[in-house]
């Protein structure tokens, strides 16, 4: 079994991997074959860190109806050790990594495959690529292992090394100080948090609070300047207070809260926005982690808005009290069960938005047609297009190194980095919500 | 019982009204008390025309769980015959109609009360006014009668006469050629159709098609200019083709289709948008009406986009064939039952939008949490804020007098104007979908 860095590596044998067996709660750390290039677009990546994530818990708990064993994990930072024949410097007309990626490059992989070439990828909806595939399912072994195969790697991967060869955009950033444990947040949870926040803030029903112009807003439509357009005058500040609840403070919820506060703080200074954020989780450990992180963020990252961390009951009360009973303009649902969706519906205001990134299962949604009609609710559901969110998430990552940069302190999001051998215990611990983000280093 | 114009009117006696009795399908045209001013903010309006609407059918069919009799109707054009004491020329700090509205003025009433003074009204979400009340329920007698009481009338009503006193905005339009049968479309169905179209077109997930910039778009967020931002290049025209389905071609669905085509045609000329619209209804009579109207619209109102009118099966096939199997970018659901929501879900593309204005009932929504996650669907549900949509709807009304101006021709949306006495038959006819929009004139 390989334990050395590439060069000394034998890529033909067996490796250590975290594996799950049906029906539920059965994690085993065992030997598995090292994945091989099976398609010209593949890359093989030597995993330097792999994340444990709330999404792993859906499979762990047996909620995903998976009936065969699999190699877990979908959050991957590593180093390219082998490339398929599609990669060579003269490639044109394909995503740029097919010509620039090299063995030895440092890469982050989003948690799903995206080709970079289909309509969905080109338009930025990369999580619904026609070749989309989640890492850590029976047909695509995951990253909680020493090596992982990345399909459509020229589209899927984000190469930190390749940035140095490019002269545009974020290529000009100095990323050399970013640790692997910081970079791995780009594989899933930070882009997903940013996505949850942006879905809400970009929604046209939120525009009145951001622009002081009443609904329905301009855009491609004529502005509202009528006599009897009661709503045509610029909105007063009392109508512009934006109240947002975050439901669920696991690692993704914390990332969403940090991203949300960062964006709101910048809107506060650029547009005089007044905002309030209520971060809700039933678990005290999760609330404490959120509090420690909030305390560590400097004022440019959280602005002057009101902020509270609350249990479910306290959260409901705050949502009412801070809004004169109206409820929240938007709710970010970052849990993935019906109790969270019910809470989101309860605390959202009429004409409010529920931005849901929780992974939901088969039970019916906990509201019927009359409920959603009666509140004029808007919903956004689904999987984060991580590949498309990368540049924005990278911005937040760079700005918030105070909370994303460290490991194991009170105010760091990442609780610990452990060996694969500890996976059985770590899954148990994370399942209880008794800890923050856990990472595996497959080489210790 | 009064039959003359105001002046000669006795406002204390009885009037003729269309009344509904539980549990279902029981319409009676009978005498009812003329409503009186009971609050200083009230106005009494002599109804010149009242509409029969798909929303009346929910009550008619007994789907709304109403258990006492009521006076029907919520689409009202008329003339002010009495005003409460809140109305006088010196009023300040209230919606302008409290100072400008006069007995004799021509008014349109949205289908719900909105005060113009609460947070929801100020922000433009007038259909969720804290004083919101639907006309045509047991506690607020509706407009299919000779007179109707309008609560919070200075906020609720739109006065065509008062426009003459104002110097701004739409006040400069010449509205004198608009007939009452055209104006009544502003009470509900035209603003609702515009709203259905705008909810879809203003959604951030549609922005890539309109702007050629991939998701996630600018707005308040940094633009995406990275190396490895495969999606950062301007979108090619093949990725920008916008395909929208309209599900349901009752009067509201037809208004939505006309409004949608109008907006798309203007985006075609201003931004080179390429679009396709599929209008779906199972009923041949409704499809034929849509076709006759489409044929009557001049090219500025429909542009060069592909357009088809289809049965449900044909609609599904077109949605697949016109998009290489991807599905529609947005679906306007304008029916109000689960078969329509199911169809909308089926034909919508991943990362698509379902803009639902159908009035839904208590059965569970026909998709579960996994369905909506797996397609990254966005939904907008609820009641049109008619009062806030007025200026935009008025624009469409003025532009499309070719289809909104006439009565009883093949290409007019309005099929006929009848006496209240014909209500029993008209409800039956409309319930079957065998006719277009029907209006009541309570004075013939
Ligand atoms: N959409 C995407 O692309 C995407 C990406 C990553 C993760 N996810 C999903 O996001 C969700 C959160 O991920 P995580 O890693 O933070 O998970 P996690 O399980 O660590 O955290 C979930 C948190 O929600 C809390 N919670 C449970 N019920 C609640 C309720 N009713 N109200 C408020 N809080 C409640 C729990 O106490 C827990 O702290 C999961 O469903 C995960 O699968 C989605
Ligand atoms: N949200 C609002 O503010 C608002 C305002 C007005 C009306 N509405 C609602 O809009 C809806 C439409 O109103 P209308 O007056 O046009 O009603 P309508 O009943 O005249 O028309 C509905 C049409 O839908 C068609 N239909 C039924 N099932 C279908 C399916 N599965 N697929 C496609 N079409 C189907 C019917 O054949 C019919 O032509 C109603 O639910 C009404 O209550 C809502
Ligand atoms: Zn994850
Ligand atoms: Zn793709
Ligand atoms: Zn109506
Ligand atoms: Zn109001």
């Amino acid at each position: 079994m390989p334990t050395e860095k590439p060069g000394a590596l034998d890529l033909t044998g067996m490796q250590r991997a975290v594996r799950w067996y049906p029906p539920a709660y059965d994690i085993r750390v065992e030997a598995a074959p090292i994945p091989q290039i099976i398609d010209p677009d593949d890359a093989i990546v030597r995993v330097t860190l792999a994340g444990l994530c709330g999404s792993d818990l859906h499979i762990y708990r047996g909620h995903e109806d998976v009936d065969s064993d699999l190699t877990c994990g979908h959050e991957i930072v590593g180093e390219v050790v082998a490339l398929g024949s599609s990669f060579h410097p003269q490639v044109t007309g394909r995503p740029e990594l097919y010509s620039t990626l090299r063995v030895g490059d440092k890469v982050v992989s989003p948690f799903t495959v995206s080709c970079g070439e289909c309509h969905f990828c080109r338009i930025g909806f990369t999580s619904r690529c026609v070749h989309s595939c989640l890492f850590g399912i029976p047909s695509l072994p995951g990253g909680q292992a020493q090596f992982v195969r990345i399909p459509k790697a020229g589209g899927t991967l984000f190469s930190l090394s390749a940035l140095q060869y490019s002269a545009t955009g974020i290529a000009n950033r100095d990323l050399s100080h970013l640790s692997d444990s910081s970079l791995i947040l780009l594989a899933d949870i930070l882009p997903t948090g940013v996505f949850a926040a942006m879905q809400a803030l970009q929604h046209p029903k939120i525009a009145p609070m951001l622009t002081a112009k009443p609904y329905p807003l301009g855009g491609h439509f004529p502005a509202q300047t009528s006599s009897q357009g009661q709503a045509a005058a610029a909105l007063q500040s009392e109508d512009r207070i934006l109240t947002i609840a975050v439901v669920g403070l696991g690692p993704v919820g914390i990332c969403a809260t940090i991203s949300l506060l960062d964006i709101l703080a910048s809107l506060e200074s650029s547009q005089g926005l007044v905002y309030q954020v209520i971060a809700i989780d039933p678990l005290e450990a999760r609330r404490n982690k959120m509090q420690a992180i909030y305390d560590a963020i400097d004022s440019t990252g959280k602005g002057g808005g009101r902020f509270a961390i609350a249990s479910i009951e306290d959260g409901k009360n705050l949502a009412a009290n801070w809004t004169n009973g109206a409820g929240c303009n938007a709710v970010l649902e970052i849990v993935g069960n019906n109790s969270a969706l019910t809470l989101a519906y309860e605390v959202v205001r009429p004409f409010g938005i529920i931005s849901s990134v929780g992974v939901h299962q088969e039970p019916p949604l906990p509201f019927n047609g009359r409920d959603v009609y009666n509140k004029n609710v808007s919903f956004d559901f689904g999987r984060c297009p991580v590949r498309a969110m990368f540049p924005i998430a990278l911005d937040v990552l760079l700005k918030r190194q105070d909370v994303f940069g460290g490991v194991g302190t009170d105010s760091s999001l990442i609780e610990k980095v452990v060996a694969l051998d500890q996976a059985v215990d770590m899954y148990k611990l994370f399942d209880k919500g008794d800890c923050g983000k856990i990472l595996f280093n497959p080489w210790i």
Side-chain angles (χ1 to χ4, degrees), chain A:
Chain A
M1 188 170 311
T3 53
E4 301 287 298
K5 290 208 87 177
L9 288 180
D10 173 7
L11 293 172
T12 57
M14 299 293 278
Q15 60 167 350
R16 269 188 105 55
V18 178
R19 310 201 75 253
W20 172 91
Y21 283 80
Y25 300 108
D26 184 358
I27 294 290
R28 309 180 197 171
V29 183
E30 56 187 23
I34 292 177
Q36 304 297 313
I37 301 245
I38 57 178
D39 181 279
D41 291 353
D42 286 348
I44 304 297
V45 167
R46 177 183 170 277
V47 178
T48 50
L49 284 178
L52 172 56
C53 173
S55 295
D56 293 311
L57 297 178
H58 300 298
I59 287 184
Y60 180 64
R61 294 168 180 161
H63 293 166
E64 293 281 1
D65 293 334
V66 179
D67 56 11
S68 47
D69 55 295
L70 51 84
T71 298
C72 303
H74 57 266
E75 302 180 351
I76 300 157
V77 169
E79 211 174 278
V80 176
V81 291
L83 289 168
S85 59
S86 297
F87 294 81
H88 56 86
Q90 277 75 46
V91 175
T92 53
R94 301 204 65 192
E96 64 183 287
L97 282 188
Y98 284 106
S99 60
T100 59
L101 196 65
R102 301 172 191 185
V103 167
D105 277 3
K106 177 173 287 192
V107 290
V108 180
S109 179
F111 68 97
T112 57
V113 170
S114 56
C115 73
E117 301 184 301
C118 73
H119 166 74
F120 292 96
C121 286
R122 288 190 306 253
I123 205 168
F125 299 151
T126 53
S127 53
R128 297 297 166 205
C129 170
V130 298
H131 301 285
S132 190
C133 189
L134 187 64
F135 288 96
I137 61 173
S139 59
L140 183 60
Q144 292 169 11
Q146 294 180 303
F147 296 92
V148 63
R149 181 178 70 90
I150 312 288
K152 304 280 171 201
T156 303
L157 290 175
F158 189 77
S159 162
L160 280 299
S161 309
L163 285 178
Q164 301 161 8
Y165 319 141
S166 168
T168 54
I170 58 169
N172 296 321
R173 307 292 183 72
D174 178 14
L175 305 178
S176 57
H177 62 293
L178 290 180
S179 62
D180 284 6
S181 61
S182 188
L183 286 170
I184 200 164
L185 301 174
L186 292 176
D188 179 353
I189 72 171
L190 183 52
T192 300
V194 176
F195 178 62
M198 280 185 58
Q199 285 199 130
L201 292 173
Q202 289 193 328
H203 200 284
K205 288 177 176 170
I206 294 298
M209 272 61 72
L210 302 184
T211 62
K213 292 190 197 133
Y215 188 87
L217 266 185
H220 309 284
F221 306 96
Q224 198 174 333
T225 55
S226 76
S227 91
Q228 301 170 58
Q230 284 101 344
L235 292 175
Q236 299 300 304
S237 50
E238 62 184 292
D239 290 323
R240 289 189 57 195
I241 302 170
L242 185 65
T243 306
I244 299 188
V246 181
V247 169
L249 299 176
V252 183
I254 290 180
C255 284
T257 307
I258 295 168
S259 310
L260 177 68
L261 288 169
D262 187 79
I263 299 169
L264 292 174
S266 76
L267 292 170
E268 179 182 47
S269 55
S270 67
Q271 284 166 270
L273 181 72
V274 177
Y275 60 89
Q276 327 185 96
V277 173
I278 305 167
I280 305 173
D281 200 293
L283 295 182
E284 198 182 351
R286 291 284 163 94
R287 297 197 300 270
N288 290 345
K289 175 54 86 178
M290 181 76 251
Q291 186 67 57
I293 286 180
Y294 182 78
D295 293 341
I297 299 176
D298 71 41
S299 63
T300 62
K302 57 191 178 194
R306 213 155 26 155
F307 181 71
I309 299 167
S311 67
I312 292 182
E313 272 318 298
D314 291 350
K316 285 186 201 175
N317 291 332
L318 284 173
N321 295 340
W322 282 8
T323 64
N324 296 319
C328 300
N329 302 92
V331 183
L332 317 187
E333 183 278 311
I334 315 187
V335 179
N337 65 33
N338 271 352
S339 89
L341 281 175
T342 301
L343 176 61
Y345 178 81
E346 270 182 69
V347 300
V348 82
R349 173 183 306 203
F351 277 88
I353 293 119
I354 296 177
S355 168
S356 164
V357 296
V359 175
H360 294 283
Q361 317 298 329
E362 277 168 4
L365 293 167
F367 14 74
N368 63 38
R370 181 168 291 178
D371 297 330
V372 294
Y373 180 86
N374 282 346
K375 260 200 170 179
N376 275 70
V377 189
S378 291
F379 294 91
D380 296 297
F381 289 102
R383 177 175 284 168
C384 174
V386 169
R387 193 60 192 73
M389 300 296 298
F390 245 111
I392 298 178
L394 185 57
D395 263 330
V396 180
L397 186 70
L398 287 166
K399 280 163 84 177
R400 289 275 70 75
Q401 280 295 301
D402 39 9
V403 296
F404 296 134
V407 174
T409 70
D410 270 4
S411 65
S412 64
L413 178 68
I414 296 163
E415 180 122 341
K416 48 186 151 192
V417 179
V418 302
L420 292 182
D421 288 338
Q422 291 187 255
V424 175
D425 288 343
M426 291 303 118
Y427 269 79
K428 277 191 196 142
L429 195 68
F430 190 64
D431 182 43
K432 288 198 213 109
D434 269 358
C435 61
K437 185 77 180 170
I438 291 170
L439 306 179
F440 295 107
N441 176 340
W443 303 94
I444 56 176

